[in-house]
Amino acid sequence: MSFAQKLTGLVAGPTDAPQDDTPWYLRYGARGLGIFGAFFAILFGFWNCFGVITINFSSVLSGILQILVGILVMSIEAPMCCMFIDYAQKFAQVVETRPHWNRAAGYCVAAIPPVILEPGLASIFGCGLIFATGILYGMMSLGKKATLEQMRQAAVATSSDNKNGSMRPGNNLVTNAQPLSYTIPPPIHNPHGSNSPF
């Protein structure tokens, strides 16, 4: 495979076909935020590694983890940026075939340890963007919202079931629930008279 063919394959992305009927703006927005967040995670990871000057071990470890998380997200979201790593394209293709919630969970979990080790602005901003990318992928895993007509039909079906008494919202939790009542507490007997506070 020539260098030009490899380059065009990388620019095209791992897969051109979307996994589901996710809106294009959410799909490309999540990918763009992931690339942007990975770039800043790598940049601020190097910034945290300057903690070696002040002999701050947790800052250095946080920076190294942040750089690794940034490279991982960059290789998934933009494999053309990692074209000289042979397995980056294959890894991105494997991740693209997985459900969105896998990527969401992975990004959210991977973004937490650098912030715990060094809760500075560099860690919070760099890993926060990756965490936000995970949230967007989590929203994509929830699926598309129903159309207005489908929601109306579901509401009509629920209201007709309520008239029949067969199914009420919340009735499936406890079948023998009794209505709540309020009882007045008995009066307190005061042996010292009504004027005494004791």
Side-chain angles (χ1 to χ4, degrees), residues 40-58:
F40 277 105
I42 294 169
L43 182 72
F44 288 130
F46 281 121
W47 178 261
N48 280 347
C49 284
F50 284 124
V52 75
I53 296 170
T54 60
I55 311 173
N56 188 353
F57 179 71
S58 64

Side-chain angles (χ1 to χ4, degrees), residues 8 27 34 46 127 131 164 171:
T8 54
R27 191 170 56 245
F46 281 121
C127 290
F131 193 84
N164 297 337
N171 197 20

Side-chain angles (χ1 to χ4, degrees), residues 2 46 50 56 62-64 70-71 81 125-126 131 139 144 169 179 184:
S2 72
F46 281 121
F50 284 124
N56 188 353
S62 170
I64 291 171
I71 290 172
C81 294
F125 184 71
F131 193 84
M139 289 173 53
K144 189 175 178 182
I184 300 173

Side-chain angles (χ1 to χ4, degrees), residues 1-16 28 31 35 74-94 96:
M1 176 182 274
S2 72
F3 179 74
Q5 291 172 339
K6 186 174 182 180
L7 184 63
T8 54
L10 290 173
V11 170
T15 56
D16 290 330
Y28 290 121
R31 188 170 295 273
I35 294 168
M74 186 70 77
S75 68
I76 292 171
E77 298 297 333
M80 66 177 244
C81 294
C82 304
M83 69 173 60
F84 298 110
I85 301 173
D86 291 334
Y87 62 88
Q89 181 72 16
K90 293 175 187 173
F91 180 65
Q93 287 175 349
V94 168
E96 286 291 324

Side-chain angles (χ1 to χ4, degrees), residues 154-175 177:
V156 168
T158 303
S159 66
S160 66
D161 287 342
N162 284 341
K163 288 178 184 174
N164 297 337
S166 62
M167 187 175 110
R168 294 186 192 115
N171 197 20
N172 58 355
L173 296 177
V174 179
T175 56

Side-chain angles (χ1 to χ4, degrees), residues 92-106:
Q93 287 175 349
V94 168
V95 171
E96 286 291 324
T97 60
R98 304 293 301 161
H100 289 304
W101 70 267
N102 291 124
R103 197 181 307 189

